[in-house]
Amino acid sequence: MNFNVQYDVAVIGGGVAGVAAALQAARSGKKTVLVEKTLLLGGLATSGLIYIYLPICDGNGRQVTFGISEELLKASILYGPGEIPGNWRKEKDAAERKRYRCVFSPASFMLALDEVLREAGVDVWLDTLVCDAEVENGCVTAAVVENESGRGKISARQFVDASGSCILARRAGIPCLDERNMYSLWTLEYRKGAQAAEEADRLGENVVVHFDGAWANGESAISEEILAKCGFTRASLKAKEVRAPSGKDISQYVLTTRQFLLEYYKKLYAEGKFDRRSCYALKLPVVPQLRKIYCIQGEYVLKDQEHATHFDDSIGLLADWRKPGFVWEIPYRTLYPANGTGGLLAAGRCTAASRGARGGTRVIPSAAMTGQVAGLAAALAIDLGKEPGELPVSVLQQKLRELGFAIHLPDVGLF
């Protein structure tokens, strides 16, 4: 080991969930470090070019998610384009783009995330890769990391795994769940004369802000001809959906989706619709766009059709971006491991959910909300001398209410 450092709270992963966790832990008075393997904060939202901050309202004029989730939504458009629909409170059964949400410039959002962490006094370690975990007496006690200084140990009293892939939890031997991932690619594209189809999604003329890759269900800009050139059919593509990816699988996924994109441009140019000066890739993602890699096997795993379900240990509300009027209570038990391992909480895509429920909880508002809860729970666990699974939920809920959270559906006038 080349170094050994100690913190109160260590957050692994600098995506939106990790940022929210680190912010709350630091604001709770804890010496906090945020560890990110790339040079950029924001994860899939920024490095992955998933530029839509999905709704924090239910589509019927009710805001349901508050706290850092709302704070970061506003921060995402502080230094760049993007607008919150002005009439979202008056909408009924509103489409996603008419709700309390926005699109944002990924680079502008990164700058805002840098700022909020700096103001909170979070120690940010970029270009730092988690290699291993140390577990003593059933508790995670350290993350082994590597960066330009060599290999070292980050010890902490509590950890938050917000990596999106449960990297620390898996290295610690905590059981995790996986899901299938379709081949897809979002990019920023320059296209001369292009304008957003809807004003709500406009980031600027001549920029197409997303490109959907080879969705196995056929709803794709990728034609059968392009798939064939890359050695695929629709059926074979679906059969190769990525699950529990190995290191090689990640490389193959990225290279395959980029090959789809290249063949797409070749086809456009050959047809004479555009040339290399009037339409081209402007920015490619620098993280793999796998949405559902691993989540922890939590004390509770949120399931399909559990929207509108009351949980005594709910720690907040999430609007379903796919369906107006659908709101979920999120149980605290989804944030800590079922096997009793202490010293670790999950946030964002690492929280326990399955299938359709995971589709609703893997997005930016959920990442920010569960990140804030995990950061607060980590701080409370230290203050009370307990492990996350031993925290009195009523104490956590009271602290969240003081931070402006709605906890149960009746808090916002539902059911």
Side-chain angles (χ1 to χ4, degrees):
M1 293 292 175
N2 298 96
F3 56 88
N4 191 343
V5 294
Q6 178 74 47
Y7 290 87
D8 294 325
V9 178
V11 180
I12 308 302
V16 171
V19 169
L23 278 176
Q24 185 56 57
R27 289 171 179 176
S28 299
K30 304 308 173 197
K31 182 182 179 184
T32 303
V33 63
L34 177 62
V35 180
E36 166 55 36
K37 66 180 179 180
T38 73
L39 298 178
L40 306 168
L41 297 174
L44 274 176
T46 56
S47 299
L49 306 180
I50 310 298
Y51 69 101
I52 303 176
Y53 206 118
L54 288 167
I56 60 172
C57 75
D58 68 348
N60 292 309
R62 293 184 185 88
Q63 182 176 348
V64 300
T65 309
F66 301 85
I68 289 177
S69 191
E70 183 178 20
E71 177 185 345
L72 294 184
L73 187 155
K74 293 177 179 178
S76 73
I77 55 175
L78 191 58
Y79 302 114
E83 302 294 335
I84 298 168
N87 292 323
W88 69 267
R89 289 190 181 278
K90 299 179 181 179
E91 296 286 349
K92 299 297 180 185
D93 295 322
E96 176 254 307
R97 67 181 58 210
K98 294 183 178 181
R99 294 157 66 180
Y100 190 177
R101 52 82 89 176
C102 67
V103 299
F104 53 83
S105 158
S108 299
F109 193 14
M110 291 178 201
L111 296 177
L113 295 176
D114 287 346
E115 181 177 51
V116 294
L117 289 169
R118 185 165 54 247
E119 291 175 347
V122 175
D123 193 4
V124 179
W125 289 32
L126 302 175
D127 194 30
T128 300
L129 184 67
V130 172
C131 304
D132 206 351
E134 292 189 358
V135 179
E136 297 179 7
N137 300 319
C139 294
V140 179
T141 58
V144 179
V145 302
E146 284 195 1
N147 57 26
E148 287 294 331
S149 297
R151 177 170 286 213
K153 183 190 299 186
I154 297 177
S155 299
R157 299 169 71 182
Q158 291 292 329
F159 287 84
V160 176
D161 192 334
S163 64
S165 63
C166 290
I167 186 64
L168 186 65
R170 288 187 291 125
R171 296 293 186 268
I174 294 170
C176 294
L177 309 172
D178 63 274
E179 297 274 356
R180 291 187 179 276
N181 292 268
M182 295 183 290
Y183 278 80
S184 66
L185 180 68
W186 285 43
T187 71
L188 296 183
E189 174 186 281
Y190 176 87
R191 182 178 293 196
K192 187 175 181 180
Q195 297 183 350
E198 295 284 344
E199 186 67 29
D201 284 350
R202 186 185 300 278
L203 286 183
E205 293 184 1
N206 300 327
V207 177
V208 176
V209 286
H210 83 267
F211 173 94
D212 278 338
W215 298 95
N217 63 6
E219 297 175 2
S220 173
I222 299 298
S223 65
E224 296 284 358
E225 176 187 352
I226 291 174
L227 285 180
K229 285 186 176 181
C230 298
F232 288 92
T233 64
R234 289 278 175 222
S236 69
L237 187 70
K238 185 171 181 61
K240 288 181 72 66
E241 289 177 349
V242 177
R243 185 165 192 164
S246 66
K248 182 61 176 176
D249 290 336
I250 297 288
S251 297
Q252 192 59 47
Y253 178 92
V254 171
L255 291 171
T256 297
T257 54
R258 292 212 298 246
Q259 185 183 8
F260 292 153
L261 185 60
L262 177 62
E263 294 297 336
Y264 167 79
Y265 284 120
K266 286 182 179 180
K267 186 172 185 291
L268 281 183
Y269 301 159
E271 292 170 347
K273 295 179 180 179
F274 297 94
D275 62 26
R276 63 185 176 84
R277 294 180 180 86
S278 60
C279 183
Y280 52 84
L282 193 63
K283 182 73 173 68
L284 300 181
V286 296
V287 295
Q289 293 182 331
L290 297 164
R291 292 351 188 240
K292 298 178 286 186
I293 305 178
Y294 287 100
C295 70
I296 63 166
Q297 174 73 59
E299 185 68 27
Y300 188 86
V301 179
L302 196 65
K303 305 175 186 65
D304 290 356
Q305 310 304 321
E306 287 191 319
H307 60 87
T309 299
H310 172 85
F311 293 101
D312 288 343
D313 65 332
S314 173
I315 42 76
L317 304 178
L318 290 174
D320 197 315
W321 60 275
R322 300 161 297 187
K323 300 176 182 179
F326 283 55
V327 179
W328 300 70
E329 291 192 5
I330 305 301
Y332 175 56
R333 288 166 291 161
T334 62
L335 272 65
Y336 60 86
N339 73 343
T341 300
L344 183 135
L345 289 132
R349 289 182 290 144
C350 296
T351 60
S354 63
R355 299 180 63 83
R358 199 159 175 199
T361 59
R362 62 175 171 78
V363 294
I364 299 175
S366 174
M369 187 192 81
T370 56
Q372 183 175 9
V373 174
L376 177 63
L380 286 173
I382 293 170
D383 290 341
L384 299 178
K386 296 181 178 294
E387 292 304 329
E390 301 170 342
L391 281 181
V393 173
S394 61
V395 173
L396 177 60
Q397 290 172 329
Q398 179 58 38
K399 293 291 185 181
L400 289 169
R401 290 189 188 280
E402 292 170 6
L403 291 169
F405 271 51
I407 301 296
H408 295 295
L409 294 164
D411 294 345
V412 294
L414 291 171
F415 309 102

